[in-house]
Amino acid sequence: MMKNMVMKENQIHDNGGEGPMLKLHSCYELTLENWHMDRAESQYNVLVFITYGKISYWVNNETVCLEGGDALLIPVGSIRGGFSEHSSTHQRYATHFSSTGSEHLLPLLGCKDYSKTKIHSADYFKQRFSLLSHHWMMKSSFQSSLCFSILLEMLSIMNHDLNHEQFPSKKIKLVENIKKYILEHYQEPIKLLDISEYLERTPTYITNIFKEVTGFSPIEYLHHVRIDKSKDLMFYTSMSIREIADHTGFCDQAYFNRVFKKVTGYSPTSFLGDKRN
Protein backbone atom coordinates (compact mmCIF):
# COMPACT_ATOMS: atom_id res chain seq x y z
CA MET A 1 0.00 0.00 0.00
CA MET A 2 2.81 2.43 0.85
CA LYS A 3 4.37 1.84 -2.56
CA ASN A 4 1.10 2.75 -4.25
CA MET A 5 0.78 5.90 -2.14
CA VAL A 6 4.26 7.05 -3.19
CA MET A 7 3.39 6.41 -6.81
CA LYS A 8 0.29 8.58 -6.47
CA GLU A 9 2.34 11.43 -5.08
CA ASN A 10 4.83 11.19 -7.94
CA GLN A 11 1.96 11.24 -10.41
CA ILE A 12 0.58 14.40 -8.86
CA HIS A 13 3.83 16.33 -8.98
CA ASP A 14 5.66 14.83 -11.91
CA ASN A 15 3.00 13.66 -14.37
CA GLY A 16 5.52 13.54 -17.18
CA GLY A 17 5.95 17.31 -17.01
CA GLU A 18 2.42 17.84 -18.31
CA GLY A 19 0.55 18.98 -15.20
CA PRO A 20 0.93 22.13 -13.12
CA MET A 21 3.64 21.97 -10.48
CA LEU A 22 4.90 24.10 -7.62
CA LYS A 23 8.35 23.05 -6.44
CA LEU A 24 9.95 24.46 -3.30
CA HIS A 25 13.66 25.28 -3.27
CA SER A 26 13.84 26.84 0.20
CA CYS A 27 11.59 27.92 3.06
CA TYR A 28 12.64 29.73 6.21
CA GLU A 29 11.78 32.16 9.01
CA LEU A 30 14.12 35.00 10.00
CA THR A 31 14.12 37.57 12.78
CA LEU A 32 16.68 40.23 11.92
CA GLU A 33 17.89 43.67 12.87
CA ASN A 34 19.64 46.03 10.44
CA TRP A 35 18.92 43.80 7.45
CA HIS A 36 20.30 44.59 4.00
CA MET A 37 20.36 42.58 0.77
CA ASP A 38 22.09 43.74 -2.39
CA ARG A 39 20.16 43.80 -5.63
CA ALA A 40 20.36 40.59 -7.66
CA GLU A 41 18.24 38.68 -10.15
CA SER A 42 15.84 36.25 -8.50
CA GLN A 43 16.34 32.68 -9.71
CA TYR A 44 12.91 31.62 -8.42
CA ASN A 45 9.55 33.05 -7.44
CA VAL A 46 9.75 34.46 -3.91
CA LEU A 47 6.86 34.69 -1.46
CA VAL A 48 7.53 36.88 1.58
CA PHE A 49 5.29 37.41 4.61
CA ILE A 50 6.02 39.95 7.36
CA THR A 51 4.73 39.11 10.83
CA TYR A 52 6.02 42.25 12.58
CA GLY A 53 8.34 45.17 11.95
CA LYS A 54 8.90 47.11 8.74
CA ILE A 55 11.20 46.51 5.78
CA SER A 56 11.50 47.70 2.21
CA TYR A 57 12.16 45.67 -0.92
CA TRP A 58 13.55 46.87 -4.20
CA VAL A 59 11.74 45.07 -7.01
CA ASN A 60 13.11 46.07 -10.40
CA ASN A 61 12.82 49.87 -10.31
CA GLU A 62 10.33 50.20 -7.45
CA THR A 63 10.59 50.39 -3.67
CA VAL A 64 7.94 48.29 -1.93
CA CYS A 65 7.31 49.01 1.77
CA LEU A 66 6.14 46.11 3.93
CA GLU A 67 4.85 45.86 7.49
CA GLY A 68 3.22 43.25 9.69
CA GLY A 69 0.52 41.31 7.84
CA ASP A 70 1.81 42.15 4.36
CA ALA A 71 2.58 39.48 1.76
CA LEU A 72 4.73 40.06 -1.31
CA LEU A 73 5.16 37.77 -4.33
CA ILE A 74 8.20 38.50 -6.49
CA PRO A 75 8.26 36.72 -9.88
CA VAL A 76 11.26 34.81 -11.12
CA GLY A 77 13.71 36.98 -13.07
CA SER A 78 12.96 40.14 -11.08
CA ILE A 79 15.83 42.26 -9.79
CA ARG A 80 15.33 42.33 -6.03
CA GLY A 81 17.04 43.58 -2.91
CA GLY A 82 15.98 45.04 0.38
CA PHE A 83 16.74 46.77 3.66
CA SER A 84 15.32 47.60 7.05
CA GLU A 85 15.53 50.86 8.92
CA HIS A 86 18.48 51.31 11.26
CA SER A 87 18.06 49.39 14.55
CA SER A 88 14.68 48.10 13.37
CA THR A 89 13.83 44.45 14.05
CA HIS A 90 11.47 42.49 11.87
CA GLN A 91 10.32 38.90 11.41
CA ARG A 92 9.56 37.43 8.03
CA TYR A 93 8.78 34.10 6.46
CA ALA A 94 9.94 33.42 2.92
CA THR A 95 9.88 30.62 0.40
CA HIS A 96 11.56 30.30 -2.99
CA PHE A 97 9.71 28.17 -5.50
CA SER A 98 9.44 27.41 -9.19
CA SER A 99 6.20 26.89 -11.05
CA THR A 100 5.50 24.95 -14.22
CA GLY A 101 2.15 25.42 -15.92
CA SER A 102 0.79 26.86 -12.67
CA GLU A 103 -0.48 30.10 -14.16
CA HIS A 104 -3.67 28.18 -14.93
CA LEU A 105 -4.11 27.37 -11.25
CA LEU A 106 -4.11 31.00 -10.09
CA PRO A 107 -4.04 34.32 -11.96
CA LEU A 108 -1.45 35.47 -9.43
CA LEU A 109 1.09 33.00 -10.82
CA GLY A 110 0.73 34.44 -14.31
CA CYS A 111 1.62 38.01 -13.29
CA LYS A 112 4.93 39.35 -14.59
CA ASP A 113 5.02 42.14 -11.99
CA TYR A 114 5.19 41.83 -8.22
CA SER A 115 2.01 41.46 -6.14
CA LYS A 116 1.49 42.86 -2.65
CA THR A 117 -1.50 42.67 -0.33
CA LYS A 118 -2.52 42.74 3.31
CA ILE A 119 -3.48 39.25 4.48
CA HIS A 120 -6.82 39.39 6.30
CA SER A 121 -6.22 36.18 8.28
CA ALA A 122 -2.63 36.96 9.22
CA ASP A 123 -2.43 34.55 12.17
CA TYR A 124 -3.71 31.66 10.05
CA PHE A 125 -1.34 32.59 7.20
CA LYS A 126 1.59 32.61 9.62
CA GLN A 127 0.57 29.19 10.91
CA ARG A 128 0.46 27.82 7.37
CA PHE A 129 3.89 29.31 6.57
CA SER A 130 5.29 27.77 9.75
CA LEU A 131 3.85 24.38 8.79
CA LEU A 132 5.24 24.75 5.27
CA SER A 133 8.69 25.38 6.72
CA HIS A 134 8.31 22.33 8.95
CA HIS A 135 7.37 20.04 6.07
CA TRP A 136 10.15 21.47 3.90
CA MET A 137 12.68 20.31 6.48
CA MET A 138 11.08 16.88 6.83
CA LYS A 139 12.02 14.04 4.53
CA SER A 140 9.08 11.76 3.92
CA SER A 141 7.24 10.32 0.97
CA PHE A 142 4.49 12.91 1.49
CA GLN A 143 6.79 15.93 1.62
CA SER A 144 6.13 17.11 -1.95
CA SER A 145 2.37 16.66 -1.65
CA LEU A 146 2.21 18.51 1.66
CA CYS A 147 4.40 21.40 0.50
CA PHE A 148 2.49 21.65 -2.79
CA SER A 149 -0.90 21.77 -1.07
CA ILE A 150 0.12 24.23 1.66
CA LEU A 151 1.88 26.59 -0.74
CA LEU A 152 -1.04 26.47 -3.16
CA GLU A 153 -3.41 27.26 -0.30
CA MET A 154 -1.28 30.23 0.77
CA LEU A 155 -1.04 31.60 -2.76
CA SER A 156 -4.80 31.12 -3.11
CA ILE A 157 -5.36 33.12 0.08
CA MET A 158 -3.13 35.89 -1.25
CA ASN A 159 -4.85 35.84 -4.64
CA HIS A 160 -8.22 35.91 -2.91
CA ASP A 161 -7.28 38.89 -0.73
CA LEU A 162 -5.97 40.72 -3.79
CA ASN A 163 -9.17 40.09 -5.71
CA HIS A 164 -11.46 41.02 -2.85
CA GLU A 165 -9.88 44.25 -1.68
CA GLN A 166 -12.89 45.92 -3.27
CA PHE A 167 -15.33 44.24 -0.88
CA PRO A 168 -17.01 46.62 1.57
CA SER A 169 -15.36 46.58 4.99
CA LYS A 170 -18.71 45.56 6.49
CA LYS A 171 -18.65 42.25 4.63
CA ILE A 172 -14.98 41.67 5.40
CA LYS A 173 -15.61 42.28 9.10
CA LEU A 174 -18.51 39.83 9.13
CA VAL A 175 -16.38 37.15 7.47
CA GLU A 176 -13.52 37.74 9.91
CA ASN A 177 -15.95 37.42 12.82
CA ILE A 178 -17.22 34.12 11.41
CA LYS A 179 -13.65 32.82 11.02
CA LYS A 180 -12.78 33.97 14.53
CA TYR A 181 -15.80 32.17 15.97
CA ILE A 182 -14.92 28.97 14.09
CA LEU A 183 -11.25 29.08 15.16
CA GLU A 184 -12.29 29.56 18.79
CA HIS A 185 -15.00 26.86 18.79
CA TYR A 186 -13.92 24.26 16.19
CA GLN A 187 -13.48 21.65 18.94
CA GLU A 188 -17.15 21.97 19.79
CA PRO A 189 -20.11 20.56 17.79
CA ILE A 190 -20.65 23.83 15.88
CA LYS A 191 -23.76 24.26 13.77
CA LEU A 192 -24.54 27.05 11.33
CA LEU A 193 -27.34 28.12 13.64
CA ASP A 194 -24.82 28.69 16.46
CA ILE A 195 -22.84 31.12 14.28
CA SER A 196 -26.07 32.75 13.14
CA GLU A 197 -27.28 33.36 16.68
CA TYR A 198 -23.88 34.63 17.81
CA LEU A 199 -23.68 37.20 15.01
CA GLU A 200 -27.41 37.95 14.99
CA ARG A 201 -27.74 37.26 11.28
CA THR A 202 -29.78 34.65 9.43
CA PRO A 203 -28.03 31.42 8.39
CA THR A 204 -28.76 32.19 4.72
CA TYR A 205 -27.26 35.68 4.95
CA ILE A 206 -24.14 34.40 6.71
CA THR A 207 -23.64 31.61 4.18
CA ASN A 208 -24.11 33.88 1.17
CA ILE A 209 -21.71 36.58 2.40
CA PHE A 210 -19.07 34.11 3.56
CA LYS A 211 -19.15 32.23 0.27
CA GLU A 212 -19.08 35.45 -1.75
CA VAL A 213 -15.94 36.63 0.03
CA THR A 214 -14.09 33.34 0.63
CA GLY A 215 -15.43 30.90 -1.96
CA PHE A 216 -16.33 28.47 0.84
CA SER A 217 -19.41 27.95 2.94
CA PRO A 218 -18.86 28.38 6.71
CA ILE A 219 -19.16 24.62 7.21
CA GLU A 220 -16.60 23.90 4.48
CA TYR A 221 -14.25 26.35 6.16
CA LEU A 222 -14.88 24.61 9.49
CA HIS A 223 -13.94 21.29 7.90
CA HIS A 224 -10.67 22.71 6.58
CA VAL A 225 -9.80 24.19 9.98
CA ARG A 226 -10.51 20.90 11.74
CA ILE A 227 -8.51 18.85 9.23
CA ASP A 228 -5.56 21.27 9.38
CA LYS A 229 -5.60 20.98 13.19
CA SER A 230 -5.85 17.19 12.96
CA LYS A 231 -2.80 17.04 10.68
CA ASP A 232 -0.84 19.11 13.19
CA LEU A 233 -1.80 16.63 15.92
CA MET A 234 -0.68 13.75 13.73
CA PHE A 235 2.72 15.34 13.26
CA TYR A 236 3.32 16.70 16.75
CA THR A 237 1.61 14.19 19.08
CA SER A 238 1.15 10.46 19.54
CA MET A 239 -2.64 10.69 19.75
CA SER A 240 -4.70 7.99 18.08
CA ILE A 241 -7.02 8.74 15.18
CA ARG A 242 -10.05 8.39 17.44
CA GLU A 243 -8.53 10.81 19.96
CA ILE A 244 -7.69 13.29 17.19
CA ALA A 245 -11.23 13.05 15.79
CA ASP A 246 -12.70 13.80 19.21
CA HIS A 247 -10.22 16.60 19.90
CA THR A 248 -11.03 18.41 16.63
CA GLY A 249 -14.79 18.37 17.09
CA PHE A 250 -15.77 15.25 15.13
CA CYS A 251 -18.16 13.22 17.24
CA ASP A 252 -18.04 10.32 14.79
CA GLN A 253 -14.70 8.83 13.66
CA ALA A 254 -16.26 7.52 10.45
CA TYR A 255 -17.39 11.05 9.60
CA PHE A 256 -13.89 12.34 10.41
CA ASN A 257 -12.43 9.73 8.05
CA ARG A 258 -14.72 10.82 5.21
CA VAL A 259 -14.02 14.54 5.65
CA PHE A 260 -10.27 13.96 6.02
CA LYS A 261 -10.10 12.01 2.76
CA LYS A 262 -12.25 14.57 0.95
CA VAL A 263 -9.98 17.44 2.03
CA THR A 264 -6.55 15.76 1.75
CA GLY A 265 -7.06 12.95 -0.74
CA TYR A 266 -5.76 10.38 1.78
CA SER A 267 -7.33 8.40 4.57
CA PRO A 268 -6.18 9.32 8.12
CA THR A 269 -4.69 5.84 8.53
CA SER A 270 -2.48 6.16 5.44
CA PHE A 271 -1.46 9.72 6.30
CA LEU A 272 -0.68 8.90 9.93
CA GLY A 273 1.05 5.62 9.08
CA ASP A 274 3.44 7.31 6.64
CA LYS A 275 4.34 10.01 9.14
CA ARG A 276 5.08 7.58 11.94
CA ASN A 277 7.02 5.15 9.76
Side-chain angles (χ1 to χ4, degrees):
M1 178 176 289
M2 293 309 300
K3 182 177 179 181
N4 290 336
M5 294 298 292
V6 173
M7 286 177 63
K8 288 181 180 179
E9 186 203 55
N10 290 338
Q11 289 168 359
I12 291 172
H13 298 285
D14 183 2
N15 198 25
E18 296 177 0
M21 181 176 69
L22 299 174
K23 180 180 179 182
L24 264 68
H25 299 279
S26 66
C27 187
Y28 52 89
E29 175 271 324
L30 293 173
T31 301
L32 297 173
E33 184 179 358
N34 300 328
W35 170 68
H36 182 276
M37 181 176 67
D38 292 333
R39 289 179 172 89
E41 182 177 345
S42 179
Q43 300 302 307
Y44 305 108
N45 301 299
V46 182
L47 176 62
V48 180
F49 178 62
I50 308 300
T51 58
Y52 67 81
K54 296 182 179 180
I55 63 173
S56 297
Y57 264 91
W58 299 302
V59 184
N60 297 325
N61 297 319
E62 294 188 49
T63 300
V64 185
C65 298
L66 302 174
E67 61 182 10
D70 287 341
L72 174 68
L73 179 63
I74 304 173
V76 59
S78 301
I79 305 301
R80 67 184 178 96
F83 64 95
S84 62
E85 299 297 329
H86 182 66
S87 300
S88 175
T89 301
H90 76 278
Q91 182 187 61
R92 74 178 186 272
Y93 286 82
T95 183
H96 296 218
F97 67 95
S98 56
S99 59
T100 303
S102 301
E103 63 275 6
H104 302 298
L105 291 175
L106 293 169
L108 183 67
L109 294 171
C111 294
K112 302 301 181 183
D113 199 3
Y114 75 85
S115 299
K116 172 195 170 185
T117 190
K118 179 75 70 176
I119 300 298
H120 295 301
S121 302
D123 289 341
Y124 179 77
F125 200 80
K126 176 183 177 181
Q127 185 265 341
R128 304 311 291 159
F129 227 135
S130 178
L131 191 61
L132 179 66
S133 178
H134 171 79
H135 289 313
W136 164 248
M137 292 185 290
M138 288 183 62
K139 303 299 178 184
S140 73
S141 59
F142 283 111
Q143 182 195 45
S144 296
S145 293
L146 289 165
C147 290
F148 177 92
S149 61
I150 296 171
L151 178 58
L152 182 60
E153 179 195 10
M154 291 167 58
L155 291 169
S156 298
I157 290 171
M158 183 177 181
N159 207 149
H160 172 269
D161 287 350
L162 278 166
N163 288 350
H164 293 81
E165 288 178 346
Q166 74 274 16
F167 275 121
S169 59
K170 185 177 180 180
K171 288 185 177 182
I172 296 297
K173 184 177 180 180
L174 177 64
V175 168
E176 292 306 311
N177 285 336
I178 295 171
K179 288 181 177 180
K180 183 174 182 292
Y181 183 89
I182 289 174
L183 289 171
E184 291 176 351
H185 298 276
Y186 72 90
Q187 292 176 292
E188 304 167 15
I190 301 177
K191 297 179 181 179
L192 185 58
L193 185 60
D194 298 325
I195 305 173
S196 172
E197 292 177 349
Y198 174 74
L199 296 173
E200 299 180 342
R201 297 288 191 276
T202 67
T204 300
Y205 180 81
I206 284 176
T207 300
N208 290 342
I209 296 300
F210 195 88
K211 194 159 189 176
E212 178 186 358
V213 174
T214 69
F216 295 99
S217 71
I219 299 304
E220 288 171 335
Y221 179 77
L222 171 62
H223 286 164
H224 279 275
V225 168
R226 284 175 167 170
I227 297 306
D228 284 338
K229 297 294 184 181
S230 71
K231 288 192 291 185
D232 289 345
L233 293 172
M234 289 180 185
F235 278 103
Y236 299 122
T237 75
S238 58
M239 294 171 67
S240 68
I241 293 176
R242 179 177 295 278
E243 290 172 331
I244 290 172
D246 290 339
H247 187 80
T248 51
F250 290 96
C251 300
D252 182 347
Q253 184 180 339
Y255 181 51
F256 168 72
N257 291 345
R258 291 196 299 272
V259 174
F260 191 97
K261 188 167 185 178
K262 181 178 179 181
V263 172
T264 68
Y266 302 107
S267 70
T269 303
S270 298
F271 191 90
L272 184 59
D274 180 74
K275 173 257 175 181
R276 291 181 177 171
N277 290 333

